[in-house]
Structures are given as structure tokens and as C-alpha cells.
Amino acid sequence: MPRPLFSALAAAAGLALSAGPVAAEAIEGRFVEGAPTDRFEIRNAATCPLDAARITIDLVGSAGSLYFDVTGSGAGLQVFQPFRLGAGSDLVTSVRPIEDGDRSAELEVRGLPPGASVDFTIDVDDEAPQSARGQTQISGSEIEGAALRARLADGTELSAIFGPDAVARLELPACAPTG
């Protein structure tokens, strides 16, 4: 191949690669195992604000048959932790009460600005007879299959599944240009 043609092709390829992939607009849900308290984080990773929404963490499809352990009696094992809002609590307008053994948590947010997050702590246990860390500590692979759902103010319903990395991403439409 002649050198000028090769240089032109290389430059064109470099421009195409430098543009890179377009970052997806998403709400991210993340599960963070902790002892004795586990944490769920919901973050607006999009470039535009999220309006009011109902956000649900649904453990029903999880690989470890996960459930919430919020009292000292009932479904849970050993240590329990009640639901507690953490960062972003000012963005939460309501929380459906969680009972011992429940497999879903639901909260309403008045909105999430770009980069903002809401988190809550709780204890999560599993029913897997041969779990990697025992039934009171959850690995990322045990939450795999659980769902993160959102019902947006306009009625749009979104759903994403947690992967083995303990992250779920609700893909959003791109933001409308402003100005």
C-alpha cells in the first residue's frame, strides 16, 4: 500500500477511534456487601436529571434466592439490620415498608440530578444451601439475576438485571439538547 494512502487510512481510523463509544444514559444500581450491613446504591449516571420515579430492587430472580433480614425474629439468620436511608435521603419521598423475609424494596424519588445518588442499608441473606460465603454474606454472583426497576413520571417502565459484578444499569433515552 502506498505510504500516503496508508497515512490517510490510519488518520481516518484514528479519528473514528478517538470519538469512542457514546456513553449510555443510565441509572445504575449497585449492591455492596458489608458485614453486618449491606448497601444498595442508586445513582444517576446520565447527563440529564431524572424526574420523579418509583425505583424497585427485586431479589426474586437472584441466583442465591436472596431476601431482606430486617428483624431478629423471622426469616433471617444471625445478624439482622433494618432498612435505613443514607446519602440522598432528601430526594426520597416515600419508602414501602420492608418486612422480614421480603424480596423487594421500593422507594419513590422526587428526582435525581445528574451524578446524584440515593443509598440505603439493610441486611440481605440467602437461601442457597452451598453459598460461597455462607448464608449471611452475599457475593456478587448471588445477586446476579435480581432486578432493578423504575417507573418514570411519564409512565415509562424500565428494567435491568444485576450481573455477577453486582451492578444493574437502567438504560435511559439520550437527553434532549438544551439551549
Side-chain angles (χ1 to χ4, degrees):
M1 178 177 306
R3 191 169 225 34
L5 179 58
F6 177 77
S7 296
L9 288 173
L15 284 174
L17 292 174
S18 68
V22 175
E25 299 289 334
I27 301 299
E28 290 182 345
R30 179 176 306 275
F31 171 74
V32 181
E33 161 62 36
T37 305
D38 303 314
R39 187 174 74 243
F40 284 90
E41 301 170 351
I42 301 157
R43 184 176 75 87
N44 183 352
T47 56
C48 54
L50 176 71
D51 291 333
R54 180 177 58 233
I55 298 172
T56 304
I57 306 278
D58 184 355
L59 303 176
V60 169
S62 63
S65 297
L66 304 181
Y67 62 91
F68 295 115
D69 180 12
V70 296
T71 68
S73 61
L77 301 167
Q78 299 172 349
V79 178
F80 69 93
Q81 294 295 323
F83 174 92
R84 287 196 177 100
L85 280 171
S89 61
D90 58 318
L91 300 171
V92 177
T93 57
S94 70
V95 176
R96 183 184 49 80
I98 299 171
E99 295 183 19
D100 207 43
D102 278 354
R103 296 184 188 269
S104 67
E106 185 177 285
L107 50 122
E108 305 252 350
V109 295
R110 63 179 167 84
L112 279 175
S117 63
V118 170
D119 70 40
F120 65 88
T121 58
I122 197 164
D123 184 33
V124 179
D125 288 346
D126 71 52
E127 293 179 341
Q130 298 294 322
S131 58
R133 299 161 111 181
Q135 292 179 308
T136 60
Q137 289 187 311
I138 308 305
S139 67
S141 63
E142 289 178 295
I143 197 164
E144 184 174 10
L148 173 66
R149 294 191 178 95
R151 181 174 173 85
L152 307 182
D154 67 2
T156 301
E157 294 197 23
L158 305 170
S159 184
I161 301 299
F162 281 88
D165 60 353
V167 175
R169 292 178 51 87
L170 294 172
E171 299 298 328
L172 301 171
C175 295
T178 58

